[in-house]
Amino acid sequence: MTVRRLARREVVDALRSYWFVLDAALFTAGGLALVLFGGGDAEVLGYRGYARALAGLAQLAMFFVPLMALFPATAALAGDREAGTLEYVLAQPVTRGEVFLGTWVGVATAVLLSLVAGFGVIGTVAVARGVPGALVAGLLGFTLLLGAAFTSVGLWLSAGASTRSRATSLGLTVWIFLLALGSLGVMGALVRWGLPASALEAWTLANPVEAFRVAMVAVLDPEASVLGPVGASLIGTLGRGGLVAAAAGSLLLWSAAAAGLGLRRLATYTEPRS
Amino acid sequence: MIRAEGLCKRYGAHVVLDGLDLRIDRGERVALLGLNGAGKTTLFRCILGLTPFEGRLSVDALAAGPSAREVRRRVGYVPQRPPIFDLSLAEFVELFTAIRGAATDGAAARLEAFGLPLAARGRQPLRELSGGMLQKAFLALALGDGRSVLLLDEPTASLDPESRRDVLRAVAGADLETTVLLATHRLEEVRALAGRVLLLGGGRLLFDGPVEELEAAAADERLLWVELPGPSRVEAARALEGQAGVRRVYANGRGIEVAVASGAGLDALEALRRRGLAVTDFHSRPPELETILERLAGEAHGGPVAAGTRRAGSPRDVGAGEREEP
């Protein structure tokens, strides 16, 4: 009951957020443009002609979905703390675990609802143009996993931050760091330290943004032409199915681990003296 | 019932509560006094489990702490500055009654009595309510059924006189079994609501007794307001320095305020006249609660006082321009 009530409040808060709605709208518009105008050779190649457009959609999700989750998640607990509302909630007969879980469920639901709405539009157009529905569903599923992972990361940072702006700054820093650690980081490590392929594969899968990217490209692009050397190596090691399963596992692990750290942070955080 | 034994709370090196021992019985109405920073809000936060502490603290024999959900179920709380949720009044009431597993009827009836009927005002966002209305909304929730303790942290601080009366009436009408702990700076609220006064200072209990004893603590003192032309105020303050019976001198916008021993007011005015300083107006009144608190906090640096007794100690004369710190 308590978790549900707190979650409902978070959903309403997130959907009232200007940044959240703008981010979701831009993602939907960008995805629609890719599907409408990115599959030029589809009449000849069928769905394969949309592969690159869908891979582009995956790239778009890689940039936008973390932000869609980070904005409301970082604002949730830290924003409530800054406004004094968190202390009042914690003064009620609730546990900190219920407050964290309610917040997580609420933010994740808001992210899920906006992604499902966006993909509803994008997917309908894509399927109408010959893309198999299963692929669109797979892309949606992985996008939701990415959203869940960054919801957890955002709430972890938010649970220990005294202000909303501090939590959001930390969230954006983490996001940029993970993006930079992606292809560029892998290439840099390869050149600088000459790391073995297995280390680079682990590095790629351990980064939620990269795990999402390589899994999506492996599924959506039959030629895996934009997968990069580490992705190709991963397919060689794990196979397409194994890579997808490993990437999903990585995203689930990020969701659970960051949520666990966030819960622990909230449980041990001493509210500042008012 | 609230019980504290050796309650300590530190923020880094700063000790806010220093081994506090306390017992408040069921149904008692107690005023919690202290200068700003004395630890009143911190005591509330410890009871609510919002901050960790050392020592023992219990409500109805249940240990307080961050995981003490049952304690929080029994406690109604009105914070010093009600936070503004991004909710309408009806959503706010619905959310916090639901968290307690209660129906909204009771809170709705109390809001109606406070002039905030949900039928008419329910859709109004909390942020559009005045400070007084917001305070009443929080009080309406805090007064809910099943609370054995009511913690009120300066609940009338932002209210107009009429709203203050409404709130005090509502608190006075709370179930007789409910223990009320009211943090306040207003002497009239202490007189109206509390049979017992606790004074916190320096993290300790400085006074524990009826309000009459507290007021008697300052019965030997009067505040003398003296209006003087601007340039002569500094000279007037100097003139009163060391004057027999003068305890403190505060500079003010249009004159000076002098804390004097009872009966020493005319001597102080005579001292100003001898210096040739033109007094344009003056009046004398009993000290305010803040002044009493300052005095007691200043006097008592030797340890807690037993229940029902006022800390003994003669008033200490203070030179002109000085102001005692707790």
Side-chain angles (χ1 to χ4, degrees):
Chain A
M1 172 67 116
T2 300
V3 170
R4 191 161 57 85
R5 294 286 175 175
L6 294 172
R8 198 164 77 179
R9 179 186 156 230
E10 288 302 331
V11 172
V12 173
D13 273 2
L15 295 179
R16 281 176 183 161
S17 158
Y18 170 77
W19 286 107
F20 179 74
V21 172
L22 180 70
D23 202 21
L26 283 175
F27 172 67
T28 306
L32 207 53
L34 279 170
V35 171
L36 283 173
F37 308 117
D41 48 358
E43 287 176 5
V44 180
L45 298 173
Y47 127 75
R48 289 164 62 94
Y50 280 100
R52 283 170 183 270
L54 290 176
L57 186 58
Q59 290 275 3
L60 193 71
M62 196 173 92
F63 283 95
F64 274 89
V65 173
L67 289 179
M68 284 171 67
L70 283 173
F71 278 127
T74 52
L77 293 169
D80 284 350
R81 180 175 287 128
E82 191 174 7
T85 52
L86 180 62
E87 178 159 303
Y88 187 72
V89 170
L90 293 174
Q92 307 304 314
V94 297
T95 64
R96 294 192 179 209
E98 285 172 334
V99 172
F100 188 87
L101 185 60
T103 309
W104 192 95
V105 170
V107 174
T109 302
V111 173
L112 181 146
L113 285 176
S114 59
L115 285 175
V116 168
F119 265 96
V121 175
I122 299 166
T124 303
V125 173
V127 170
R129 294 194 159 216
V131 177
L135 274 184
V136 175
L139 179 55
L140 172 61
F142 257 90
T143 306
L144 294 181
L145 284 178
L146 184 66
F150 274 90
T151 296
S152 294
V153 170
L155 286 177
W156 170 27
L157 300 173
S158 191
S162 55
T163 64
R164 173 195 295 234
S165 59
R166 183 171 295 184
T168 304
S169 303
L170 276 172
L172 291 175
T173 305
V174 168
W175 175 65
I176 291 167
F177 183 70
L178 290 173
L179 280 178
L181 272 185
S183 304
L184 284 174
V186 169
M187 279 193 289
L190 195 64
V191 172
R192 177 71 181 80
W193 296 302
L195 294 177
S198 58
L200 294 176
E201 287 172 12
W203 181 326
T204 298
L205 283 176
N207 180 340
V209 176
E210 270 300 284
F212 172 82
R213 189 187 72 81
V214 294
M216 284 297 84
V217 174
V219 170
L220 297 173
D221 184 356
E223 294 158 7
S225 53
V226 290
L227 201 51
V230 180
S233 167
L234 273 167
I235 285 190
T237 307
L238 303 172
R240 273 182 203 272
L243 172 57
V244 171
S250 169
L251 290 170
L252 284 171
L253 191 63
W254 267 92
S255 299
L261 289 168
L263 172 60
R264 185 186 157 91
R265 191 73 191 93
L266 182 65
T268 56
Y269 188 91
T270 300
E271 301 301 323
R273 192 180 179 203
S274 51
Chain B
M1 185 174 77
I2 302 170
R3 203 164 197 178
E5 290 174 40
L7 180 65
C8 289
K9 176 63 197 173
R10 293 179 180 83
Y11 288 98
H14 180 55
V15 179
V16 182
L17 297 176
D18 187 12
L20 193 66
D21 292 323
L22 189 64
R23 182 192 165 113
I24 302 173
D25 289 327
R26 180 181 295 270
E28 269 198 284
R29 309 285 159 102
V30 178
L32 187 61
L33 306 181
L35 300 174
N36 289 333
K40 305 185 293 293
T41 300
T42 299
L43 176 60
F44 284 177
R45 298 176 84 228
C46 290
I47 293 170
L48 291 163
L50 295 172
T51 190
F53 53 82
E54 297 162 46
R56 289 184 183 176
L57 180 62
S58 65
V59 172
D60 295 347
L62 297 165
S67 58
R69 179 206 293 256
E70 188 51 36
V71 167
R72 290 191 288 276
R73 189 180 303 286
R74 291 167 186 241
V75 176
Y77 171 55
V78 178
Q80 192 175 354
R81 286 184 293 273
I84 300 176
F85 288 84
D86 196 10
L87 297 170
S88 69
L89 178 61
E91 288 169 338
F92 172 68
V93 171
E94 201 259 347
L95 173 64
F96 285 98
T97 50
I99 282 177
R100 288 181 172 272
T104 56
D105 304 5
R110 285 186 292 277
L111 282 170
E112 178 122 25
F114 284 154
L116 280 169
L118 278 182
R121 310 291 290 268
R123 290 187 176 180
Q124 195 166 1
L126 288 186
R127 80 178 87 85
E128 289 181 8
L129 295 180
S130 68
M133 286 178 176
L134 200 59
Q135 201 75 272
K136 287 177 182 178
F138 277 78
L139 184 63
L141 285 176
L143 285 166
D145 299 331
R147 317 291 166 84
S148 57
V149 172
L150 203 51
L151 301 181
L152 307 171
D153 197 353
E154 299 184 34
T156 61
S158 57
L159 301 188
D160 58 56
E162 192 182 346
S163 297
R164 201 178 304 148
R165 274 194 298 275
D166 288 346
V167 167
L168 293 180
R169 204 174 296 132
V171 175
D175 191 311
L176 289 176
E177 291 286 294
T178 304
T179 304
V180 178
L181 189 52
L182 168 75
T184 182
H185 286 278
R186 294 178 191 275
L187 197 53
E188 71 270 21
E189 287 178 9
V190 179
R191 288 198 198 103
L193 282 179
R196 179 180 167 196
V197 172
L198 302 176
L199 171 62
L200 287 180
R204 294 179 179 190
L205 196 57
L206 303 181
F207 176 92
D208 183 351
V211 64
E212 294 77 16
E213 278 191 35
L214 183 77
E215 290 183 281
D220 65 337
E221 186 169 292
R222 301 286 293 179
L223 285 180
L224 183 65
W225 162 249
V226 184
E227 194 176 304
L228 297 139
S232 56
R233 277 175 222 147
V234 175
E235 197 182 340
R238 286 199 187 119
L240 293 176
E241 199 170 349
Q243 170 76 24
V246 171
R247 292 175 179 166
R248 296 174 297 279
V249 180
Y250 308 124
N252 245 312
R254 292 167 60 200
I256 56 173
E257 194 167 60
V258 191
V260 293
S262 290
L266 287 176
D267 294 339
L269 290 171
E270 177 59 22
L272 295 177
R273 194 193 63 78
R274 277 200 305 272
R275 288 283 189 104
L277 295 166
V279 172
T280 52
D281 197 6
F282 73 92
H283 66 260
S284 151
R285 59 183 168 81
E288 290 168 348
L289 184 58
E290 290 285 317
T291 312
I292 300 172
L293 301 187
E294 280 181 16
R295 275 195 60 187
L296 289 175
E299 285 172 22
H301 286 295
V305 186
T309 60
R310 186 172 67 80
R311 166 160 287 285
S314 57
R316 185 165 62 86
D317 281 3
V318 180
E322 279 187 38
R323 198 176 180 105
E324 291 191 355
E325 294 298 329

